[in-house]
Amino acid sequence: MKKKYCLPVVVLFLLCSFSLAADKPNFLFIIADDCTFRDIGCYGGQAHTPNVDKLATEGIRMKRCFQAAPMCSPTRHCIYTGLYPVKSGAYPNHTFAKEGTKSIVQYLKPLGYRVALSGKRHIGPIEVFPFEYSNAKGDGANPSMEEIDKLFGECAGSDTPFCLMACSNEPHTPWNKGKEYRKLYKSEELKLRPYMVDTPKTRERYINYLAEITYFDNQVGEILAMLDKHKLADNTLVMVVSEQGNSFPFAKWSCYDSGLQSIMVVRWPGKAAKGAESDAMVEYVDIVPTFVEAAGGTPADILDGRSMLDVFAGKTDKHKEYVFGLQTTRGIYNGPRDYPIRSVRSDEYKLIWNIDPEAKFRNTAVNTDWFKSWERKADKGDVHAKAMLERFFTRPEFELYDVVNDPYNMTNLAGQVKYSEVQAKLKRQLDKWMASQGDSGMGTEMAAFEHMLSGNDEFREWKQAQNE
């Protein structure tokens, strides 16, 4: 009798398994590289981004998405682990996660997913991030459209759900891939940010950067077209983010909003609100628990993030009361010996703590032709140029900004009696967060090299150049 019922039971089990696999959503995550959120078209920027703009009309545009670190490697570790950088160990640049850390691969594969990454990596070790990689060289590489097409085709043909991290290297410097798009921009029509110094060289480089964003937008369009080709769009949660800010001052390598804020556009037919906007404050650490819950799993308690599904569905416009940031300058190219920065942001205010304000800040930007044009303008007596250079190199211990009325974080309110209660409250929240992460501030900064990837030739060259 057992043999009589064996085949039907097996068939029923397999049919149920295939049905469950088919019901599970696919995940397509597309990320830019060194792109300031406010430069994207649908976020009020000057970059021509028709594909991202169209996607925003088909899904929900998160107006207040943030990351915890304004550098590539910590950001990507944060996205894939759901952990803030100090907790995972990946808080300097050119770094790796602690042994035993779990990533989205370990969370989704048991749920039946193929989990792949195509393009820029900047993560490690491989044991923590055992993605299906489709590029021979990870850092500096762009997504392989051929391999993505192959992945989509295989998954569509086998009803296998997938999670693809499509990681662009654009618009990271040297801004040399968007040449064909530069004609879209005219120097005299550009509107520079108030923290930038207006020089011909600045405008020239800014155009190159904007053209590179358009190049990235074209990559977004290509990948979305592949979803349509394989008839996968209806069951795929698409998420596009911009990573940290660009390499002009006061964006990347800083905890100002231009450094830590990101676009987040989400399309999920029938599940995410269409053509909607949300003011909910969300973070990159929320991505892993969101994908896990959407896949039918239970997010691990260890994760720092929380699922955003109710926000995407339009059920709530609230998510987090505070978002946090940190910058470990120890280990960046042409950086100072140390310059630890921490930040906390509420709906209305941002507090930045420069833990060693006696140190002089700097980074690789000082070697660029456009930065030298700022210095020449300052030497000629330009007041704004002098002020921006002074602000770049020398910062007070505390900076407090009204992010509603001062979105570019230009007017420091720290130390004013009127805002003393706000500053004290935010500092308490920042202290609490740092303690929860095992972040000792200066001690954590000085221990950064212990977390640098020992086999990283790039880091060894940097360290030798710094005579450390």
Side-chain angles (χ1 to χ4, degrees):
M1 293 294 291
K2 288 183 180 180
K3 290 183 179 180
K4 180 179 179 180
Y5 289 98
C6 181
L7 183 58
V9 168
V10 170
V11 171
L12 179 62
F13 173 77
L14 290 174
L15 287 174
C16 290
S17 298
F18 288 145
S19 177
L20 288 173
D23 289 342
K24 288 181 180 293
N26 305 305
F27 302 109
L28 170 57
F29 177 83
I30 306 176
I31 183 170
D33 191 2
D34 286 9
C35 179
T36 302
F37 82 101
R38 60 176 94 249
D39 291 324
I40 298 292
C42 59
Y43 282 78
Q46 300 170 86
H48 292 267
T49 52
N51 292 295
V52 174
D53 296 352
K54 181 175 183 291
L55 190 71
T57 68
E58 300 168 342
I60 184 168
R61 183 172 70 93
M62 305 302 298
K63 296 166 65 178
R64 297 195 296 178
C65 172
F66 298 87
Q67 56 207 45
M71 294 189 296
C72 297
S73 188
T75 289
R76 290 158 195 270
H77 283 84
C78 186
I79 289 169
Y80 306 145
T81 65
L83 301 175
Y84 290 123
V86 172
K87 183 184 287 187
S88 74
Y91 65 93
N93 214 10
H94 315 295
T95 188
F96 66 100
K98 294 175 182 176
E99 182 180 355
T101 302
K102 289 186 176 181
S103 72
I104 194 167
V105 186
Q106 288 92 344
Y107 292 126
L108 289 184
K109 284 191 75 172
L111 297 176
Y113 280 76
R114 288 183 64 177
V115 190
L117 188 153
S118 187
K120 182 169 180 174
R121 301 181 190 181
H122 222 166
I123 50 175
I126 193 69
E127 293 79 13
V128 174
F129 304 101
F131 288 102
E132 294 181 33
Y133 291 103
S134 62
N135 294 81
K137 176 172 172 53
D139 296 335
N142 270 302
S144 169
M145 298 303 169
E146 294 79 8
E147 291 296 328
I148 291 174
D149 190 32
K150 180 181 177 183
L151 173 70
F152 287 176
E154 291 175 352
C155 289
S158 61
D159 284 329
T160 303
F162 65 83
C163 174
L164 170 65
M165 302 297 184
C167 306
S168 177
N169 190 221
E170 317 313 326
H172 195 291
T173 53
W175 302 329
N176 59 358
K177 294 189 180 70
K179 295 178 182 178
E180 65 181 292
Y181 301 112
R182 291 176 190 172
K183 61 180 178 290
L184 297 173
Y185 305 94
K186 298 185 184 304
S187 179
E188 65 275 12
E189 295 177 359
L190 288 182
K191 295 180 180 178
L192 299 182
R193 305 301 179 188
Y195 49 77
M196 300 173 76
V197 178
D198 194 348
T199 68
K201 189 58 69 173
T202 301
R203 287 179 174 269
E204 175 189 331
R205 298 308 187 203
Y206 195 47
I207 283 178
N208 294 351
Y209 157 70
L210 292 176
E212 206 90 345
I213 295 178
T214 303
Y215 183 94
F216 163 72
D217 182 77
N218 188 62
Q219 293 176 320
V220 173
E222 283 189 70
I223 299 172
L224 293 178
M226 285 184 215
L227 275 185
D228 294 334
K229 171 186 173 182
H230 295 286
K231 297 180 173 55
L232 293 166
D234 287 345
N235 192 39
T236 300
L237 188 164
V238 178
M239 179 182 290
V240 179
V241 300
S242 57
E243 210 203 35
Q244 72 271 333
N246 61 41
S247 52
F248 287 105
F250 314 114
K252 184 179 181 180
W253 302 298
S254 85
C255 285
Y256 301 110
D257 274 3
S258 291
L260 290 177
Q261 195 163 346
S262 169
I263 75 164
M264 179 182 279
V265 177
V266 178
R267 185 186 73 185
W268 190 12
K271 299 291 181 67
K274 185 177 180 180
E277 297 178 341
S278 176
D279 286 321
M281 287 204 301
V282 301
E283 298 179 286
Y284 278 4
V285 289
D286 298 326
I287 294 170
V288 166
T290 299
F291 285 9
V292 170
E293 184 176 354
T298 301
D301 291 337
I302 191 176
L303 299 179
D304 287 316
R306 293 168 40 209
S307 172
M308 300 177 283
L309 291 186
D310 283 349
V311 177
F312 294 165
K315 295 179 180 179
T316 180
D317 207 28
K318 300 291 182 183
H319 190 66
K320 289 184 172 177
E321 189 175 359
Y322 302 100
V323 293
F324 302 92
L326 66 93
Q327 164 67 21
T328 295
T329 308
R330 190 169 170 82
I332 68 172
Y333 289 108
N334 204 26
R337 187 192 69 127
D338 66 86
Y339 206 98
I341 309 171
R342 305 291 185 267
S343 71
V344 56
R345 187 194 195 275
S346 67
D347 286 332
E348 300 178 286
Y349 296 96
K350 162 164 278 191
L351 178 69
I352 296 175
W353 182 20
N354 299 305
I355 298 176
D356 186 9
E358 299 303 314
K360 188 175 181 179
F361 183 84
R362 68 176 188 270
N363 58 40
T364 190
V366 301
N367 295 323
T368 62
D369 52 4
W370 53 263
F371 192 88
K372 294 183 185 302
S373 76
W374 291 21
E375 292 177 317
R376 289 193 295 272
K377 193 166 185 176
D379 289 341
K380 293 178 180 178
D382 186 88
V383 175
H384 180 67
K386 283 184 176 181
M388 291 305 98
L389 289 177
E390 181 178 352
R391 185 176 190 238
F392 177 79
F393 289 116
T394 307
R395 304 175 189 183
E397 182 176 7
F398 291 105
E399 300 174 68
L400 178 68
Y401 298 101
D402 178 341
V403 294
V404 176
N405 298 304
D406 181 18
Y408 295 105
N409 307 159
M410 299 295 292
T411 303
N412 185 11
L413 306 174
Q416 294 187 26
V417 176
K418 179 181 178 181
Y419 299 98
S420 59
E421 188 173 331
V422 171
Q423 182 173 334
K425 181 179 180 180
L426 289 176
K427 182 59 165 59
R428 287 193 297 271
Q429 292 296 329
L430 182 57
D431 290 344
K432 181 180 177 181
W433 176 71
M434 290 175 63
S436 74
Q437 297 297 305
D439 183 356
S440 63
M442 182 58 75
T444 297
E445 176 84 358
M446 299 311 292
F449 289 162
E450 297 174 14
H451 299 281
M452 305 301 259
L453 189 57
S454 60
N456 191 321
D457 292 337
E458 186 180 38
F459 171 63
R460 284 202 299 268
E461 292 172 6
W462 176 89
K463 197 168 185 292
Q464 183 177 4
Q466 298 293 320
N467 295 317
E468 287 281 345

